[in-house]
C-alpha cells in the first residue's frame, strides 16, 4: 500500500500579492470609488464616502507630521471601536508610524507595560467608556512612561488640536513621507494575550496585513457593493485587518454597529444598513441567534462573513447559514503572529467541509503539520502541530529576539502551538491547543471532539471541556456548560446517560459545571487556563498529575 502523502500544502493563486503600502492601496481605491460609502459609525450617525475618508485621513496624517511623528515612531491607540480608530489606522500608515494597538480592557499595570515596552511617543485614547476611566488611568501611568510625550483624547479638544495642527503642513510633505515608505516597513504592533507572563508585541508590516485583509475578503468574493458589519474589536487583527483592510482594498463599506459588541445593535445595524457581510467569534453569533428579538430583524441582505477567533461549533455554523441566511459564511483560522489568517474555508466548499474544518491553505501561504517532538512532517490524517510560512508571518516580537526565535524556526516556519489534522484534500481540522490536550490514563483526549458532541445535546447552548487533576488517571475531564433558557441543569449522571453507547467511556466528562458564561478574553476567546484554575478550587482538588504535554 502506498504511503500517505505528507501533511503539507501551499495556497496557489492566480491573484498576485499586493506590492504597495496601505496608504497607496487606500488612494488607489479612492481613485476608483470616490463617491461610494466607506465608513458608517452607528453610535453617532456619522458617514464618510471614500473621498471624505481619505480627506480626513490626510488631515490627521498632516497633524501627525506637524506633531513631529517620524517614520518608525510608535503611536498608541487605546479605545473601543470608533471612527477615529479607523482614521488613525490609515493616517499612521501614511506617515510610516507604527500603530500600537492597546487592548481596551487593559488596566493600569498592563497599559504601562505596553506603552513602555513599545516606546509609544504619542497616545490616542478614549476618555471613558462604561466603567473604564481611560483619562484617569492615563494620568496614573504617565509619570512612569518616559517615552510618552503627548496624549490625545478622542472627542476632546486635544483631538481637534492634533488635526488642526496639520493645517499649515503642505500636502507635499505628506507625499514626500509616503514616497519614503516600503511595504516591508513595520506598521503595527499587536500584543498577544499570553497565558503566562507579559504579552508579546507581534510586529507586522504593510505587506503582512494589507495582503492578509485583501485575501480574506477575496475568498468571500467581496466587491465595492459589499457592506461589512464589524462588531469585532479593531484593536485585534479580526477588526482592523480582516475587516478594515479587507474593505478598503475592495472599495467596500465598513459599518461600526457599536463601540463594543452588543447583539441587538449588531442585528439592528445589519437590518438598517442592509449589510451583506457579518463578522464575529462563535460567542457573538450564539448571542445574536439567541436574542429574544432575533426574529424581528430583517437579515435577508446577509450573504457571507467570517466566524473565527476560537473553535467554531458545527451546530452554530448550521444555524448561521440557515437562520441568518449567511449561505457563503467562511471559517478562518489564524493567529496575530500570522497577520492573522493562514487557513480559510471557501464559499463554495461542500457543507460538511465548511462546518467541520477550518478550510485550506490561504493564497500564497504554506502550511504543514509536524510531530511536536521531532519537528518532522506527519502523514495526512495524523495529528500534530500546525506550522505556517509565507508573506503573512510577522517580522518578529518587538525587541524580543529570544521569544521570536522560540516561535519562528530557522526556515521561517511559524509554530502555532495548535494541534491539527490535514486530510487527503488539504483541509485542516483544529483539534485543540497542544497545552489543552488531556492525557487520561495514557489516552490522548482532544477536548474539541467532546465539545462538538455536547453541542448535540438538546438542552446545551454552549460547552467547553478542560482537564482537571486526578490521582488515579493523572487527569479527568470536566465539562463547563451553558444551558438553553428553561432547560434543567445538566448533571454528571444525566450527561453519562446521554453519552452511553455514543462516546468512549474515557471521553465521558467525570464532572459537570453549569455556568451563565465562560471566562473570556475581550476578543471572545475562552480562557481555559482560568477555567482549569477555577475547576481545581470548585472541586477541591490538588494540582497533581499534569497533562504531560509541552
Amino acid at each position: 500500500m502506498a504511503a500517505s502523502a505528507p501533511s503539507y500544502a501551499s495556497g496557489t493563486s492566480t491573484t498576485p500579492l499586493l506590492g504597495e503600502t496601505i496608504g497607496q492601496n487606500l488612494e488607489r481605491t479612492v481613485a476608483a470609488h470616490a463617491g461610494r460609502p466607506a465608513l458608517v459609525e452607528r453610535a453617532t450617525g456619522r458617514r464618510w464616502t471614500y473621498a471624505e475618508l481619505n480627506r480626513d485621513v490626510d488631515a490627521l496624517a498632516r497633524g501627525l507630521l506637524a506633531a513631529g511623528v517620524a517614520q518608525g515612531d510608535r503611536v498608541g491607540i487605546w479605545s473601543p471601536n470608533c471612527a477615529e480608530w479607523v482614521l488613525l489606522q490609515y493616517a499612521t500608515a501614511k506617515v510610516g508610524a507604527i500603530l500600537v494597538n492597546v487592548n481596551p480592557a487593559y488596566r493600569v499595570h498592563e497599559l504601562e507595560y505596553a506603552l513602555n515596552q513599545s516606546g509609544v511617543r504619542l497616545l490616542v485614547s478614549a476618555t471613558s467608556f462604561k466603567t473604564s476611566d481611560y483619562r484617569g488611568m492615563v494620568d496614573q501611568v504617565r509619570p512612569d512612561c518616559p517615552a510618552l510625550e503627548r496624549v490625545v483624547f478622542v472627542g476632546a479638544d486635544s483631538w481637534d488640536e492634533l488635526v488642526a495642527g496639520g493645517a499649515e503642513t503642505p500636502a507635499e510633505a505628506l507625499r514626500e513621507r509616503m514616497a519614503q515608505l516600503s511595504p516591508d516597513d513595520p506598521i503595527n504592533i499587536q500584543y498577544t494575550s499570553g497565558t503566562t507572563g507579559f504579552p508579546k508585541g507581534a510586529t507586522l508590516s504593510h505587506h503582512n496585513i494589507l495582503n492578509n485583509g485583501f485575501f480574506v475578503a477575496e475568498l468571500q468574493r467581496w466587491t465595492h457593493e459589499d457592506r461589512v458589519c464589524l462588531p469585532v474589536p479593531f484593536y485585534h487583527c479580526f477588526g482592523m485587518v480582516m475587516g478594515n483592510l479587507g474593505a478598503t482594498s475592495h472599495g467596500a463599506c465598513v459599518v461600526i454597529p457599536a463601540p463594543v459588541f452588543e447583539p441587538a445593535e449588531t442585528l439592528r445595524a445589519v437590518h438598517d444598513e442592509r449589510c451583506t457581510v457579518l463578522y464575529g467569534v462563535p460567542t457573538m453569533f450564539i448571542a445574536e441567534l439567541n436574542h429574544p428579538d432575533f426574529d424581528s430583524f430583517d437579515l435577508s441582505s446577509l450573504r457571507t462573513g467570517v466566524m473565527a477567533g476560537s473553535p467554531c461549533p458545527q451546530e452554530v455554523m448550521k444555524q448561521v447559514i440557515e437562520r441568518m441566511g449567511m449561505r457563503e459564511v467562511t471559517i478562518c483560522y489564524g493567529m496575530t503572529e500570522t497577520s492573522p489568517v493562514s487557513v480559510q474555508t471557501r464559499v463554495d466548499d461542500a457543507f460538511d467541509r465548511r462546518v467541520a474544518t477550518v478550510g485550506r491553505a490561504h493564497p500564497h501561504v504554506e502550511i504543514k503539520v509536524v510531530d511536536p517532538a521531532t519537528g518532522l512532517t506527519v502523514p495526512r490524517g495524523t495529528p500534530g502541530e500546525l506550522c505556517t510560512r509565507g508573506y503573512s508571518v510577522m517580522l518578529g516580537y518587538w525587541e524580543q529576539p529570544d521569544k521570536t526565535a522560540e516561535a519562528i524556526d530557522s526556515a521561517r516556519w511559524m509554530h502555532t502551538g495548535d494541534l491539527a489534522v490535514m486530510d487527503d484534500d488539504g483541509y485542516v481540522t483544529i483539534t485543540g491547543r497542544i497545552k489543552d490536550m488531556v492525557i487520561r490514563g495514557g489516552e490522548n483526549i482532544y477536548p474539541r471532539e467532546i465539545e462538538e458532541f455536547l453541542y448535540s445535546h438538546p438542552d446545551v447552548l454552549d460547552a467547553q471541556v478542560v482537564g482537571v487533576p486526578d490521582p488515579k488517571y493523572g487527569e479527568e475531564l470536566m465539562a463547563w456548560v451553558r444551558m438553553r433558557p428553561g432547560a434543567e441543569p445538566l448533571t454528571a449522571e444525566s450527561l453519562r446517560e446521554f453519552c452511553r453507547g455514543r462516546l468512549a467511556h474515557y471521553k465521558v466528562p467525570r464532572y459537570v459545571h453549569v455556568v451563565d458564561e465562560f471566562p473570556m478574553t475581550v476578543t471572545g476567546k475562552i480562557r481555559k487556563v482560568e477555567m482549569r484554575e477555577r475547576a481545581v478550587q470548585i472541586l477541591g482538588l490538588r494540582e497533581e498529575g499534569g497533562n504531560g504535554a509541552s
Side-chain angles (χ1 to χ4, degrees):
M1 193 173 82
S4 176
S7 295
Y8 168 87
S10 61
T12 57
S13 177
T14 56
T15 305
L17 289 165
L18 302 172
E20 59 197 346
T21 64
I22 290 167
Q24 289 169 330
N25 180 263
L26 175 62
E27 293 185 355
R28 196 156 56 82
T29 297
V30 171
H33 304 292
R36 292 197 63 81
L39 180 63
V40 175
E41 185 183 53
R42 297 271 303 170
T44 61
R46 293 182 293 170
R47 294 169 182 268
W48 286 258
T49 63
Y50 266 97
E52 291 164 346
L53 178 69
N54 195 52
R55 175 201 66 201
D56 287 358
V57 165
D58 280 1
L60 179 56
R62 294 206 305 274
L64 293 172
L65 291 178
V69 174
Q71 182 180 345
D73 277 352
R74 272 76 68 206
V75 174
I77 174 73
W78 191 36
S79 168
N81 288 7
C82 61
E84 286 80 5
W85 212 115
V86 181
L87 295 175
L88 189 69
Q89 176 181 347
Y90 290 91
T92 49
K94 283 198 175 193
V95 303
I98 300 174
L99 185 69
V100 179
N101 302 5
V102 183
N103 186 331
Y106 274 4
R107 290 300 173 257
V108 175
H109 177 64
E110 300 144 314
L111 172 66
E112 182 184 325
Y113 173 80
L115 295 179
N116 280 330
Q117 203 276 329
S118 59
V120 166
R121 280 188 64 197
L122 186 153
L123 174 67
V124 175
S125 171
T127 52
S128 63
F129 184 74
K130 293 189 175 176
T131 60
S132 296
D133 176 11
Y134 291 109
R135 194 188 286 270
M137 287 187 276
V138 169
D139 288 344
Q140 236 178 301
V141 303
R142 276 194 88 163
D144 300 311
C145 297
L148 184 60
E149 298 169 7
R150 183 171 178 178
V151 179
V152 173
F153 289 101
V154 174
D157 290 346
S158 54
W159 174 270
D160 296 334
E161 289 161 7
L162 176 64
V163 176
E168 302 302 314
T169 302
E172 292 73 39
L174 181 56
R175 299 289 109 206
E176 288 169 14
R177 175 65 65 83
M178 288 180 68
Q180 296 164 13
L181 307 181
S182 160
D184 295 319
D185 291 338
I187 203 64
N188 186 214
I189 295 174
Q190 300 200 26
Y191 282 94
T192 61
S193 49
T195 51
T196 57
F198 283 107
K200 302 181 287 288
T203 307
L204 303 165
S205 67
H206 295 267
H207 194 65
N208 285 151
I209 60 178
L210 174 60
N211 277 293
N212 205 257
F214 174 73
F215 279 105
V216 167
E218 278 287 290
L219 295 191
Q220 297 170 73
R221 298 178 178 171
W222 288 11
T223 72
H224 60 274
E225 300 285 347
D226 279 300
R227 298 174 66 81
V228 187
C229 184
L230 292 182
V232 293
F234 288 154
Y235 84 86
H236 188 264
C237 274
F238 204 169
M240 70 164 285
V241 178
M242 298 161 64
N244 292 345
L245 288 169
T248 58
S249 61
H250 285 80
C253 178
V254 167
V255 176
I256 308 172
V260 297
F261 173 66
E262 294 176 19
E265 291 304 322
T266 302
L267 293 166
R268 191 169 291 113
V270 172
H271 174 109
D272 290 348
E273 301 291 337
R274 307 307 295 150
C275 292
T276 56
V277 181
L278 176 59
Y279 275 14
V281 298
T283 49
M284 290 179 178
F285 283 106
I286 290 169
E288 290 153 14
L289 288 160
N290 286 279
H291 192 277
D293 298 330
F294 177 85
D295 291 329
S296 70
F297 296 104
D298 178 3
L299 308 181
S300 60
S301 57
L302 283 176
R303 173 181 65 84
T304 186
V306 170
M307 193 190 299
S310 57
C312 304
Q314 295 181 32
E315 187 54 41
V316 178
M317 271 293 284
K318 289 175 185 172
Q319 288 195 43
V320 165
I321 292 168
E322 291 165 9
R323 295 181 59 208
M324 300 181 87
M326 293 172 63
R327 297 169 304 284
E328 298 180 3
V329 66
T330 66
I331 286 182
C332 288
Y333 163 83
M335 60 194 305
T336 305
E337 290 89 338
T338 55
S339 304
V341 175
S342 302
V343 180
Q344 186 175 354
T345 58
R346 277 40 171 188
V347 296
D348 53 0
D349 277 340
F351 182 78
D352 62 333
R353 298 282 201 202
R354 291 166 59 213
V355 299
T357 78
V358 290
R360 293 177 281 135
H362 231 238
H364 306 288
V365 170
E366 296 174 275
I367 56 172
K368 66 177 179 177
V369 180
V370 304
D371 182 325
T374 65
L376 296 175
T377 305
V378 299
R380 296 204 175 191
T382 305
E385 181 183 17
L386 185 65
C387 298
T388 178
R389 179 169 70 178
Y391 78 85
S392 55
V393 174
M394 66 175 177
L395 301 178
Y397 292 119
W398 184 259
E399 295 190 342
Q400 290 187 295
D402 54 331
K403 299 291 186 189
T404 303
E406 289 173 15
I408 303 173
D409 66 26
S410 58
R412 289 291 297 169
W413 285 100
M414 177 77 206
H415 290 251
T416 66
D418 284 318
L419 290 164
V421 178
M422 184 186 295
D423 71 13
D424 288 337
D425 297 318
Y427 286 84
V428 173
T429 303
I430 303 296
T431 55
R433 294 285 293 166
I434 291 176
K435 291 175 181 173
D436 285 345
M437 187 176 75
V438 177
I439 301 179
R440 180 194 181 275
E443 297 276 6
N444 289 359
I445 303 173
Y446 302 102
R448 176 75 194 279
E449 178 192 352
I450 295 134
E451 289 160 4
E452 291 287 359
F453 175 75
L454 292 175
Y455 280 113
S456 68
H457 192 293
D459 294 335
V460 171
L461 180 65
D462 203 353
Q464 296 293 324
V465 173
V466 295
V468 296
D470 184 78
K472 182 176 180 182
Y473 294 106
E475 284 188 290
E476 273 285 7
L477 296 175
M478 180 181 189
W480 290 48
V481 294
R482 292 172 57 212
M483 307 303 296
R484 293 194 179 279
E488 285 291 315
L490 196 65
T491 64
E493 291 73 28
S494 59
L495 177 60
R496 260 196 299 277
E497 186 59 36
F498 181 74
C499 295
R500 184 167 291 130
R502 304 171 70 193
L503 207 59
H505 71 92
Y506 66 88
K507 295 180 183 176
V508 178
R510 180 174 173 184
Y511 307 104
V512 173
H513 182 49
V514 177
V515 294
D516 292 329
E517 56 186 25
F518 303 125
M520 285 191 295
T521 66
V522 188
T523 51
K525 288 187 178 179
I526 306 294
R527 284 191 47 79
K528 286 200 169 182
V529 170
E530 186 178 331
M531 291 171 70
R532 278 190 289 268
E533 290 169 353
R534 282 166 55 179
V536 169
Q537 297 169 344
I538 292 165
L539 300 172
L541 302 171
R542 288 200 315 275
E543 277 286 9
E544 52 193 332
N547 71 4
S550 59

